[in-house]
PDB file of all heavy atoms in Angstrom:
ATOM      1  N   ASP A 919       0.794  -1.208  -0.007  1.00 41.00           N
ATOM      2  CA  ASP A 919      -0.003   0.006  -0.010  1.00 41.00           C
ATOM      3  C   ASP A 919       0.829   1.251  -0.014  1.00 41.00           C
ATOM      4  O   ASP A 919       0.281   2.374   0.005  1.00 41.00           O
ATOM      5  CB  ASP A 919      -0.913   0.013   1.244  1.00 41.00           C
ATOM      6  CG  ASP A 919      -1.879  -1.177   1.240  1.00 41.00           C
ATOM      7  OD1 ASP A 919      -2.250  -1.615   0.144  1.00 41.00           O
ATOM      8  OD2 ASP A 919      -2.249  -1.616   2.315  1.00 41.00           O
ATOM      9  N   ALA A 920       2.172   1.159   0.057  1.00 36.00           N
ATOM     10  CA  ALA A 920       3.031   2.318   0.128  1.00 36.00           C
ATOM     11  C   ALA A 920       2.910   3.145  -1.119  1.00 36.00           C
ATOM     12  O   ALA A 920       2.857   2.623  -2.212  1.00 36.00           O
ATOM     13  CB  ALA A 920       4.498   1.896   0.335  1.00 36.00           C
ATOM     14  N   PRO A 921       2.861   4.462  -0.951  1.00 43.00           N
ATOM     15  CA  PRO A 921       2.793   5.364  -2.127  1.00 43.00           C
ATOM     16  C   PRO A 921       4.078   5.296  -2.882  1.00 43.00           C
ATOM     17  O   PRO A 921       5.134   4.940  -2.366  1.00 43.00           O
ATOM     18  CB  PRO A 921       2.573   6.753  -1.532  1.00 43.00           C
ATOM     19  CG  PRO A 921       3.152   6.634  -0.140  1.00 43.00           C
ATOM     20  CD  PRO A 921       2.889   5.256   0.300  1.00 43.00           C
ATOM     21  N   PRO A 922       4.063   5.642  -4.181  1.00 48.00           N
ATOM     22  CA  PRO A 922       5.313   5.668  -4.955  1.00 48.00           C
ATOM     23  C   PRO A 922       6.253   6.720  -4.382  1.00 48.00           C
ATOM     24  O   PRO A 922       5.846   7.656  -3.726  1.00 48.00           O
ATOM     25  CB  PRO A 922       4.817   6.045  -6.379  1.00 48.00           C
ATOM     26  CG  PRO A 922       3.504   6.702  -6.177  1.00 48.00           C
ATOM     27  CD  PRO A 922       2.917   6.046  -4.964  1.00 48.00           C
ATOM     28  N   LEU A 923       7.533   6.541  -4.670  1.00 46.00           N
ATOM     29  CA  LEU A 923       8.577   7.411  -4.106  1.00 46.00           C
ATOM     30  C   LEU A 923       8.318   8.842  -4.502  1.00 46.00           C
ATOM     31  O   LEU A 923       8.559   9.782  -3.738  1.00 46.00           O
ATOM     32  CB  LEU A 923       9.946   6.953  -4.551  1.00 46.00           C
ATOM     33  CG  LEU A 923      11.136   7.716  -3.970  1.00 46.00           C
ATOM     34  CD1 LEU A 923      11.118   7.677  -2.445  1.00 46.00           C
ATOM     35  CD2 LEU A 923      12.456   7.201  -4.499  1.00 46.00           C
ATOM     36  N   GLN A 924       7.869   9.067  -5.744  1.00 60.00           N
ATOM     37  CA  GLN A 924       7.583  10.440  -6.177  1.00 60.00           C
ATOM     38  C   GLN A 924       6.582  11.121  -5.255  1.00 60.00           C
ATOM     39  O   GLN A 924       6.737  12.252  -4.898  1.00 60.00           O
ATOM     40  CB  GLN A 924       7.069  10.414  -7.622  1.00 60.00           C
ATOM     41  CG  GLN A 924       6.770  11.798  -8.195  1.00 60.00           C
ATOM     42  CD  GLN A 924       8.022  12.669  -8.230  1.00 60.00           C
ATOM     43  OE1 GLN A 924       9.094  12.214  -8.658  1.00 60.00           O
ATOM     44  NE2 GLN A 924       7.894  13.922  -7.882  1.00 60.00           N
ATOM     45  N   GLY A 925       5.567  10.365  -4.863  1.00 82.00           N
ATOM     46  CA  GLY A 925       4.538  10.920  -3.971  1.00 82.00           C
ATOM     47  C   GLY A 925       5.115  11.243  -2.599  1.00 82.00           C
ATOM     48  O   GLY A 925       4.795  12.274  -2.003  1.00 82.00           O
ATOM     49  N   ARG A 926       5.949  10.362  -2.088  1.00 87.00           N
ATOM     50  CA  ARG A 926       6.575  10.572  -0.776  1.00 87.00           C
ATOM     51  C   ARG A 926       7.493  11.770  -0.821  1.00 87.00           C
ATOM     52  O   ARG A 926       7.537  12.571   0.083  1.00 87.00           O
ATOM     53  CB  ARG A 926       7.357   9.317  -0.336  1.00 87.00           C
ATOM     54  CG  ARG A 926       6.572   8.357   0.514  1.00 87.00           C
ATOM     55  CD  ARG A 926       7.451   7.481   1.379  1.00 87.00           C
ATOM     56  NE  ARG A 926       8.580   6.870   0.693  1.00 87.00           N
ATOM     57  CZ  ARG A 926       8.554   5.788  -0.020  1.00 87.00           C
ATOM     58  NH1 ARG A 926       7.387   5.168  -0.202  1.00 87.00           N
ATOM     59  NH2 ARG A 926       9.641   5.288  -0.550  1.00 87.00           N
ATOM     60  N   ALA A 927       8.252  11.853  -1.912  1.00 89.00           N
ATOM     61  CA  ALA A 927       9.199  12.989  -2.038  1.00 89.00           C
ATOM     62  C   ALA A 927       8.428  14.300  -2.101  1.00 89.00           C
ATOM     63  O   ALA A 927       8.852  15.298  -1.466  1.00 89.00           O
ATOM     64  CB  ALA A 927      10.024  12.793  -3.311  1.00 89.00           C
ATOM     65  N   ARG A 928       7.334  14.297  -2.793  1.00 91.00           N
ATOM     66  CA  ARG A 928       6.536  15.540  -2.882  1.00 91.00           C
ATOM     67  C   ARG A 928       5.979  15.926  -1.494  1.00 91.00           C
ATOM     68  O   ARG A 928       6.002  17.116  -1.091  1.00 91.00           O
ATOM     69  CB  ARG A 928       5.380  15.335  -3.877  1.00 91.00           C
ATOM     70  CG  ARG A 928       4.588  16.634  -4.131  1.00 91.00           C
ATOM     71  CD  ARG A 928       3.726  16.495  -5.393  1.00 91.00           C
ATOM     72  NE  ARG A 928       2.911  15.282  -5.390  1.00 91.00           N
ATOM     73  CZ  ARG A 928       3.095  14.263  -6.201  1.00 91.00           C
ATOM     74  NH1 ARG A 928       4.077  14.272  -7.106  1.00 91.00           N
ATOM     75  NH2 ARG A 928       2.319  13.198  -6.146  1.00 91.00           N
ATOM     76  N   GLU A 929       5.532  14.941  -0.762  1.00 93.00           N
ATOM     77  CA  GLU A 929       5.012  15.218   0.589  1.00 93.00           C
ATOM     78  C   GLU A 929       6.118  15.757   1.503  1.00 93.00           C
ATOM     79  O   GLU A 929       5.888  16.720   2.297  1.00 93.00           O
ATOM     80  CB  GLU A 929       4.430  13.914   1.166  1.00 93.00           C
ATOM     81  CG  GLU A 929       3.866  14.060   2.560  1.00 93.00           C
ATOM     82  CD  GLU A 929       3.341  12.760   3.102  1.00 93.00           C
ATOM     83  OE1 GLU A 929       3.133  11.798   2.287  1.00 93.00           O
ATOM     84  OE2 GLU A 929       3.156  12.689   4.342  1.00 93.00           O
ATOM     85  N   VAL A 930       7.284  15.136   1.444  1.00 95.00           N
ATOM     86  CA  VAL A 930       8.422  15.597   2.269  1.00 95.00           C
ATOM     87  C   VAL A 930       8.821  17.009   1.917  1.00 95.00           C
ATOM     88  O   VAL A 930       9.054  17.855   2.781  1.00 95.00           O
ATOM     89  CB  VAL A 930       9.601  14.626   2.113  1.00 95.00           C
ATOM     90  CG1 VAL A 930      10.890  15.209   2.723  1.00 95.00           C
ATOM     91  CG2 VAL A 930       9.285  13.290   2.777  1.00 95.00           C
ATOM     92  N   LEU A 931       8.894  17.289   0.625  1.00 95.00           N
ATOM     93  CA  LEU A 931       9.317  18.622   0.184  1.00 95.00           C
ATOM     94  C   LEU A 931       8.308  19.708   0.500  1.00 95.00           C
ATOM     95  O   LEU A 931       8.632  20.850   0.768  1.00 95.00           O
ATOM     96  CB  LEU A 931       9.640  18.597  -1.323  1.00 95.00           C
ATOM     97  CG  LEU A 931      10.871  17.774  -1.705  1.00 95.00           C
ATOM     98  CD1 LEU A 931      11.130  17.897  -3.201  1.00 95.00           C
ATOM     99  CD2 LEU A 931      12.080  18.185  -0.938  1.00 95.00           C
ATOM    100  N   ASP A 932       7.008  19.352   0.473  1.00 94.00           N
ATOM    101  CA  ASP A 932       5.996  20.300   0.864  1.00 94.00           C
ATOM    102  C   ASP A 932       6.136  20.681   2.328  1.00 94.00           C
ATOM    103  O   ASP A 932       6.035  21.877   2.710  1.00 94.00           O
ATOM    104  CB  ASP A 932       4.590  19.702   0.597  1.00 94.00           C
ATOM    105  CG  ASP A 932       4.220  19.658  -0.862  1.00 94.00           C
ATOM    106  OD1 ASP A 932       4.916  20.291  -1.648  1.00 94.00           O
ATOM    107  OD2 ASP A 932       3.243  18.950  -1.209  1.00 94.00           O
ATOM    108  N   ALA A 933       6.372  19.700   3.184  1.00 96.00           N
ATOM    109  CA  ALA A 933       6.591  19.996   4.619  1.00 96.00           C
ATOM    110  C   ALA A 933       7.869  20.817   4.800  1.00 96.00           C
ATOM    111  O   ALA A 933       7.897  21.718   5.597  1.00 96.00           O
ATOM    112  CB  ALA A 933       6.658  18.695   5.405  1.00 96.00           C
ATOM    113  N   ALA A 934       8.911  20.470   4.055  1.00 96.00           N
ATOM    114  CA  ALA A 934      10.172  21.214   4.135  1.00 96.00           C
ATOM    115  C   ALA A 934       9.989  22.677   3.772  1.00 96.00           C
ATOM    116  O   ALA A 934      10.598  23.555   4.371  1.00 96.00           O
ATOM    117  CB  ALA A 934      11.234  20.547   3.251  1.00 96.00           C
ATOM    118  N   SER A 935       9.180  22.942   2.774  1.00 96.00           N
ATOM    119  CA  SER A 935       8.953  24.311   2.343  1.00 96.00           C
ATOM    120  C   SER A 935       8.375  25.143   3.454  1.00 96.00           C
ATOM    121  O   SER A 935       8.706  26.319   3.625  1.00 96.00           O
ATOM    122  CB  SER A 935       8.007  24.339   1.102  1.00 96.00           C
ATOM    123  OG  SER A 935       8.612  23.719   0.013  1.00 96.00           O
ATOM    124  N   LEU A 936       7.464  24.543   4.249  1.00 97.00           N
ATOM    125  CA  LEU A 936       6.894  25.257   5.368  1.00 97.00           C
ATOM    126  C   LEU A 936       7.950  25.584   6.426  1.00 97.00           C
ATOM    127  O   LEU A 936       7.969  26.668   6.977  1.00 97.00           O
ATOM    128  CB  LEU A 936       5.767  24.424   5.982  1.00 97.00           C
ATOM    129  CG  LEU A 936       4.553  24.168   5.098  1.00 97.00           C
ATOM    130  CD1 LEU A 936       3.526  23.292   5.794  1.00 97.00           C
ATOM    131  CD2 LEU A 936       3.890  25.499   4.680  1.00 97.00           C
ATOM    132  N   HIS A 937       8.859  24.621   6.695  1.00 98.00           N
ATOM    133  CA  HIS A 937       9.879  24.840   7.660  1.00 98.00           C
ATOM    134  C   HIS A 937      10.852  25.961   7.208  1.00 98.00           C
ATOM    135  O   HIS A 937      11.258  26.791   8.005  1.00 98.00           O
ATOM    136  CB  HIS A 937      10.686  23.556   7.932  1.00 98.00           C
ATOM    137  CG  HIS A 937       9.893  22.495   8.609  1.00 98.00           C
ATOM    138  ND1 HIS A 937       9.118  22.733   9.717  1.00 98.00           N
ATOM    139  CD2 HIS A 937       9.730  21.149   8.324  1.00 98.00           C
ATOM    140  CE1 HIS A 937       8.531  21.601  10.124  1.00 98.00           C
ATOM    141  NE2 HIS A 937       8.868  20.647   9.271  1.00 98.00           N
ATOM    142  N   ILE A 938      11.195  25.903   5.906  1.00 98.00           N
ATOM    143  CA  ILE A 938      12.123  26.899   5.390  1.00 98.00           C
ATOM    144  C   ILE A 938      11.472  28.305   5.426  1.00 98.00           C
ATOM    145  O   ILE A 938      12.104  29.281   5.755  1.00 98.00           O
ATOM    146  CB  ILE A 938      12.528  26.533   3.953  1.00 98.00           C
ATOM    147  CG1 ILE A 938      13.375  25.256   3.975  1.00 98.00           C
ATOM    148  CG2 ILE A 938      13.314  27.673   3.304  1.00 98.00           C
ATOM    149  CD1 ILE A 938      13.667  24.687   2.586  1.00 98.00           C
ATOM    150  N   ALA A 939      10.183  28.340   5.106  1.00 98.00           N
ATOM    151  CA  ALA A 939       9.492  29.624   5.152  1.00 98.00           C
ATOM    152  C   ALA A 939       9.463  30.173   6.582  1.00 98.00           C
ATOM    153  O   ALA A 939       9.595  31.381   6.778  1.00 98.00           O
ATOM    154  CB  ALA A 939       8.044  29.462   4.628  1.00 98.00           C
ATOM    155  N   GLY A 940       9.257  29.271   7.546  1.00 97.00           N
ATOM    156  CA  GLY A 940       9.305  29.705   8.941  1.00 97.00           C
ATOM    157  C   GLY A 940      10.641  30.234   9.340  1.00 97.00           C
ATOM    158  O   GLY A 940      10.743  31.252  10.046  1.00 97.00           O
ATOM    159  N   LEU A 941      11.716  29.585   8.904  1.00 98.00           N
ATOM    160  CA  LEU A 941      13.070  30.062   9.194  1.00 98.00           C
ATOM    161  C   LEU A 941      13.320  31.430   8.587  1.00 98.00           C
ATOM    162  O   LEU A 941      13.902  32.333   9.192  1.00 98.00           O
ATOM    163  CB  LEU A 941      14.096  29.065   8.700  1.00 98.00           C
ATOM    164  CG  LEU A 941      14.263  27.772   9.511  1.00 98.00           C
ATOM    165  CD1 LEU A 941      15.115  26.725   8.758  1.00 98.00           C
ATOM    166  CD2 LEU A 941      14.881  28.078  10.869  1.00 98.00           C
ATOM    167  N   ARG A 942      12.905  31.593   7.344  1.00 98.00           N
ATOM    168  CA  ARG A 942      13.113  32.914   6.659  1.00 98.00           C
ATOM    169  C   ARG A 942      12.302  34.002   7.363  1.00 98.00           C
ATOM    170  O   ARG A 942      12.767  35.152   7.475  1.00 98.00           O
ATOM    171  CB  ARG A 942      12.719  32.797   5.200  1.00 98.00           C
ATOM    172  CG  ARG A 942      13.682  31.972   4.362  1.00 98.00           C
ATOM    173  CD  ARG A 942      13.652  32.370   2.917  1.00 98.00           C
ATOM    174  NE  ARG A 942      14.521  31.581   2.089  1.00 98.00           N
ATOM    175  CZ  ARG A 942      15.821  31.757   1.956  1.00 98.00           C
ATOM    176  NH1 ARG A 942      16.417  32.725   2.642  1.00 98.00           N
ATOM    177  NH2 ARG A 942      16.545  30.992   1.186  1.00 98.00           N
ATOM    178  N   SER A 943      11.134  33.668   7.824  1.00 97.00           N
ATOM    179  CA  SER A 943      10.316  34.629   8.530  1.00 97.00           C
ATOM    180  C   SER A 943      10.987  35.104   9.804  1.00 97.00           C
ATOM    181  O   SER A 943      11.006  36.274  10.151  1.00 97.00           O
ATOM    182  CB  SER A 943       8.937  34.055   8.818  1.00 97.00           C
ATOM    183  OG  SER A 943       8.125  34.937   9.545  1.00 97.00           O
ATOM    184  N   VAL A 944      11.541  34.129  10.544  1.00 97.00           N
ATOM    185  CA  VAL A 944      12.260  34.477  11.772  1.00 97.00           C
ATOM    186  C   VAL A 944      13.488  35.360  11.451  1.00 97.00           C
ATOM    187  O   VAL A 944      13.712  36.408  12.123  1.00 97.00           O
ATOM    188  CB  VAL A 944      12.751  33.198  12.511  1.00 97.00           C
ATOM    189  CG1 VAL A 944      13.731  33.516  13.636  1.00 97.00           C
ATOM    190  CG2 VAL A 944      11.555  32.449  13.087  1.00 97.00           C
ATOM    191  N   ALA A 945      14.244  34.960  10.432  1.00 97.00           N
ATOM    192  CA  ALA A 945      15.441  35.760  10.070  1.00 97.00           C
ATOM    193  C   ALA A 945      15.071  37.184   9.717  1.00 97.00           C
ATOM    194  O   ALA A 945      15.838  38.127  10.063  1.00 97.00           O
ATOM    195  CB  ALA A 945      16.135  35.093   8.897  1.00 97.00           C
ATOM    196  N   SER A 946      13.937  37.398   9.097  1.00 97.00           N
ATOM    197  CA  SER A 946      13.556  38.756   8.699  1.00 97.00           C
ATOM    198  C   SER A 946      13.218  39.638   9.888  1.00 97.00           C
ATOM    199  O   SER A 946      13.250  40.862   9.790  1.00 97.00           O
ATOM    200  CB  SER A 946      12.344  38.715   7.752  1.00 97.00           C
ATOM    201  OG  SER A 946      11.187  38.224   8.412  1.00 97.00           O
ATOM    202  N   ARG A 947      12.895  39.018  11.020  1.00 97.00           N
ATOM    203  CA  ARG A 947      12.524  39.811  12.213  1.00 97.00           C
ATOM    204  C   ARG A 947      13.654  40.018  13.180  1.00 97.00           C
ATOM    205  O   ARG A 947      13.487  40.743  14.158  1.00 97.00           O
ATOM    206  CB  ARG A 947      11.377  39.091  12.954  1.00 97.00           C
ATOM    207  CG  ARG A 947      10.058  39.065  12.175  1.00 97.00           C
ATOM    208  CD  ARG A 947       8.918  38.632  13.076  1.00 97.00           C
ATOM    209  NE  ARG A 947       9.092  37.257  13.553  1.00 97.00           N
ATOM    210  CZ  ARG A 947       8.658  36.163  12.927  1.00 97.00           C
ATOM    211  NH1 ARG A 947       8.038  36.280  11.757  1.00 97.00           N
ATOM    212  NH2 ARG A 947       8.826  34.951  13.432  1.00 97.00           N
TER     213      ARG A 947
END
């Protein structure tokens, strides 16, 4: 039932984008 790697990679990178955005927001303040 595991999703294909492409799907997992997309999910991981979507979460990473949120973390990176949070870091950039902190840096700006």
Side-chain angles (χ1 to χ4, degrees):
D919 299 330
L923 184 59
Q924 181 62 42
R926 267 204 314 277
R928 186 164 51 248
E929 180 181 343
V930 168
L931 293 183
D932 286 346
S935 296
L936 296 177
H937 293 312
I938 294 171
L941 286 169
R942 288 206 182 279
S943 178
V944 168
S946 68
R947 293 192 297 270

